[in-house]
């Protein structure tokens, strides 16, 4: 009798579960709200500049979205390395905005390159120190109200995952340093994924790290602001949380290219890198012909020296090491000046020459005999580069490093 009742119960349970339980629908993304339909999409740039929210954002206020407005863009930054805390950066062709949500692990279902549709009705848009955010009303410890993090349950009802992530669709914009203090530029580009090239960390000495927590650096909200050489710290910094997985990584020395979310704090750019992969050694010879780095260990060849000059890509005060073969000698002064003017090329032929103007012998010594240099000899010469009229040359005062 018990076996018969058990069989009947199982049959009844199976019928209540229905066919969907036995054969689950695997086409819908389990995250977010798949029921959101694309009906009233607004460009992010237009949203931030709209009469409803422009003043709100600029003045640190907030406003609830009362009508159905949507934005659609791709994720450019998340919490994968814990430097963008409770923040998801979303960008389209017109601008970017940050979503503030009290949820960790968002990188698992919102990786970089993931397209997402966000229904804004019922959420709040506001400004934190002029930075545009999507979130909810937040009460600080002192009772001040402002824009802050929504809870994950609320957020889940307001976004829809579209397709699969495609990181190739996320291409950083090159930051224009000449517009670093341009108010319209920061308004238009704040929170974008951008790249700044040819910069150096001021504190980089082979030991300093991104975000130490040992008291060696003043922290604000558990973050360290690192400055860049030659750039006003009131205008731009690299901001890293002490909780970032790379917080204790050593700052790279030399010129680097930095990619990150170019957030803002009032009128200061705050670059937030997403991982150590966002900081790479800068290639000063990108787009320049020839070979070599211009150092004693890696001299540039004449082709690269000529390319640097032709493209005005050389640094006027920098000493470059250049290697070539003497193709012609114009003059060797063995008197008071003790210098020589000659030409070098890649192959020793009298074409595609770099003029070595009034240079000195090895170690900066004066020439005492005309036969101290000869056509066909291979030399490494150190000096500054210039374009004199139409003639590419190495400035007077250069010296031979080696000759053979």
């Amino acid at each position: 009798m018990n076996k018969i009742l058990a069989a009947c119960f199982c049959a009844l349970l199976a019928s209540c579960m229905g066919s969907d339980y036995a054969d689950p629908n695997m086409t819908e993304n389990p995250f977010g709200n798949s029921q959101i339909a694309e009906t009233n999409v607004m460009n992010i740039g237009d949203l931030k500049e709209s009469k409803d929210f422009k003043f709100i954002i600029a003045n640190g206020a907030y406003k609830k979205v009362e009508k159905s407005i949507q934005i659609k863009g791709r994720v450019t930054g998340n919490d994968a390395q814990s430097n963008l805390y409770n923040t998801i950066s979303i960008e389209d062709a017109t601008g970017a905005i940050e979503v503030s949500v009290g949820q960790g692990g968002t990188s698992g279902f919102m990786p970089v390159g993931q397209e997402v549709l966000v229904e804004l009705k019922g959420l709040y848009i506001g400004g934190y120190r002029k930075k545009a955010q999507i979130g909810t009303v937040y009460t600080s410890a002192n009772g001040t109200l402002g824009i802050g993090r929504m809870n994950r349950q609320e957020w889940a009802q307001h976004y829809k995952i579209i397709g699969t992530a495609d990181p190739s669709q996320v291409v950083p914009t090159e930051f224009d340093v000449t517009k670093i203090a341009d108010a319209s530029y920061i308004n238009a580009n704040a929170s974008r994924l951008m790249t700044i090239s040819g910069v150096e960390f001021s504190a980089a000495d082979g030991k300093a790290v991104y975000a130490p927590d040992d008291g060696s650096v003043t922290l604000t909200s558990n973050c360290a602001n690192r400055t860049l050489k030659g750039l006003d710290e009131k205008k731009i910094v690299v901001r890293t949380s002490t909780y970032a997985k790379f917080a204790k990584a050593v700052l790279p020395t030399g010129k680097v290219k930095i990619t990150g979310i170019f957030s803002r704090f009032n009128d200061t750019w705050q670059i937030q890198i997403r991982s150590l992969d966002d900081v790479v050694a800068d290639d000063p010879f990108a787009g320049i012909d020839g070979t070599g780095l211009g150092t004693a260990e890696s001299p540039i060849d004449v082709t690269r020296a000529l390319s640097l000059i032709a493209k005005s890509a050389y640094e006027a005060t920098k000493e470059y090491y250049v290697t070539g073969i003497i193709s012609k000698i114009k003059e060797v002064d063995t008197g008071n000046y003790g210098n020589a003017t000659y030409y070098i090329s890649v192959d020793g032929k009298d074409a595609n020459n770099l003029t070595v103007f009034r240079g000195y012998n090895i170690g900066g010594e004066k020439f005492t005999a005309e036969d101290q240099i000869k056509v066909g000899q291979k030399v490494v010469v150190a000096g500054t580069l210039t374009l004199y009229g139409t003639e590419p040359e190495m400035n007077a005062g250069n010296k031979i490093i080696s000759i053979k």
Side-chain angles (χ1 to χ4, degrees), residues 212-266:
D213 57 4
D214 57 4
S216 59
V217 173
T218 300
L219 302 177
T220 56
S221 300
N222 295 310
C223 292
N225 292 331
R226 291 300 195 179
T227 60
L228 300 172
K229 287 184 180 179
L231 296 179
D232 187 349
E233 63 183 295
K234 294 181 179 179
K235 299 299 180 184
I236 192 166
V237 294
V238 177
R239 186 170 176 82
T240 306
S241 169
T242 55
Y243 298 108
K245 293 182 180 179
F246 51 84
K248 302 301 188 296
V250 175
L251 291 168
T253 57
K255 291 188 176 181
V256 293
K257 179 185 293 184
I258 302 174
T259 300
I261 302 300
F262 276 57
S263 191
R264 71 182 298 182
F265 185 84
N266 292 323

Side-chain angles (χ1 to χ4, degrees), residues 251-310:
L251 291 168
T253 57
K255 291 188 176 181
V256 293
K257 179 185 293 184
I258 302 174
T259 300
I261 302 300
F262 276 57
S263 191
R264 71 182 298 182
F265 185 84
N266 292 323
D267 296 323
T268 301
W269 292 97
Q270 292 186 332
I271 307 173
Q272 294 175 284
I273 66 173
R274 301 162 300 170
S275 72
L276 289 180
D277 292 337
D278 277 342
V279 182
V280 297
D282 195 32
D283 181 6
F285 301 110
I288 303 298
D289 301 329
T291 62
L293 301 177
T295 63
E297 297 76 20
S298 178
I300 58 175
D301 60 11
V302 173
T303 298
R304 176 151 284 184
L306 295 176
S307 184
L308 282 169
I309 295 170

Side-chain angles (χ1 to χ4, degrees), residues 78-97:
N78 51 37
D79 65 351
Q81 293 285 307
S82 303
N83 198 33
L84 277 72
Y85 179 67
N86 285 172
T87 298
I88 302 166
S89 297
I90 299 175
E91 182 175 326
D92 66 13
T94 68
I97 196 165

